[in-house]
Amino acid sequence: MSEPVTALQGASFDGFARVREIGPLGMITLRAKAGTKGLDKAVKAALGLALPAPRRMVWEGPAGTGRGIGWMGPDEFLLVLPHADLPAALAALEAGLQGSHYLAVDVSDARCVFRIEGETADQVLRKLMPVDFDRLEPGELRRSRAAQVPAAIWAGEGGYTLVAFRSVAGYVMGLLSHSAQPGSELN
C-alpha cells in the first residue's frame, strides 16, 4: 500500500500570517439525517465523539489535532481523524448503521487542508471569503467559498483551518499566499 501524500506536499508561505498545507488527514463524509437509528452510537464508536450541534466542529483535544467531527448540513457531517485510522472508523460506522439509510465515504484524497495562523490570520481570509469573521466563534464551522471555490473553515488554536477540493489546491494556496503578502494587511 502506498503512503498518502498531500496535494502540494506540505507547501507553506510566511507573510503577515503563516499559510501551510497540512495533512495527510483522514476525512469521511457521513450523510445521514439526525435521528437516524444508531447514528449517535456509530459516530461514538468511530471517533469517540458525540455529534456536533449545527454549524459546530467538535474535537477530541485541541482544535485541529486528533479526531474531530463537523456539522456540514442537516444530513451531512465531516469526520476528521488520523489517516491510518480510516479503515477502523469506516468499519465502526458500517457496523453501527447497518440497516439504516446512510452513506459514509472516505474523501481524504479528494480534499486539501490548509492552516492560516498568526494574529492577523483572519485578514487573509477576510479578503477571500464572504464571512463575518467578527462573529465567527472558536469551534464554529462555516461552509462558504474562497474566491470562486467551495471551502469550509473553522477557527481554533491561533488560526483557521480551511478545507477545499484537492483539484484546486494550487489555486487555493496561491489565493492564500497572495492574500498574506507583507504590506497587504487590512487597516
Side-chain angles (χ1 to χ4, degrees):
M1 183 177 201
S2 61
E3 292 296 316
V5 295
T6 62
L8 303 176
Q9 299 173 12
S12 66
F13 176 81
D14 289 315
F16 68 79
R18 180 168 169 75
V19 176
R20 61 189 175 92
E21 182 193 32
I22 61 171
L25 295 175
M27 293 188 169
I28 298 170
T29 291
L30 175 60
R31 301 294 304 253
K33 288 184 180 178
T36 296
K37 182 181 176 186
L39 180 60
D40 294 331
K41 288 182 181 179
V43 168
K44 188 78 166 171
L47 288 179
L49 297 169
L51 290 171
R55 289 183 40 183
R56 302 305 290 179
M57 190 78 189
V58 177
W59 290 97
E60 174 183 56
T65 63
R67 296 166 176 264
I69 183 169
W71 184 91
M72 300 293 281
D75 67 345
E76 183 178 358
F77 301 92
L78 176 67
L79 287 67
V80 181
L81 61 159
H83 200 276
D85 296 347
L86 278 166
L90 285 166
L93 291 169
E94 184 178 345
L97 291 167
Q98 191 169 18
S100 296
H101 183 72
Y102 78 98
L103 175 69
V105 178
D106 174 3
V107 295
S108 309
D109 292 339
R111 304 289 184 265
C112 58
V113 186
F114 297 92
R115 282 288 296 161
I116 303 91
E117 300 166 312
E119 290 182 24
T120 53
D122 66 312
Q123 292 184 29
V124 174
L125 296 171
R126 284 175 191 267
K127 296 176 190 179
L128 302 172
M129 303 182 83
V131 172
D132 185 354
F133 284 92
D134 293 331
R135 298 185 66 189
L136 189 69
E137 301 172 2
E140 185 177 351
L141 185 144
R142 184 71 57 92
R143 289 177 89 164
S144 184
R145 60 182 168 79
Q148 297 301 312
V149 298
I153 59 165
W154 57 85
E157 299 302 314
Y160 297 85
T161 301
L162 182 144
V163 177
F165 292 114
R166 183 184 185 107
S167 61
V168 294
Y171 174 72
V172 173
M173 183 65 184
L175 289 172
L176 295 171
S177 299
H178 186 76
S179 184
Q181 288 290 325
S184 70
E185 297 88 347
L186 300 173
N187 294 326

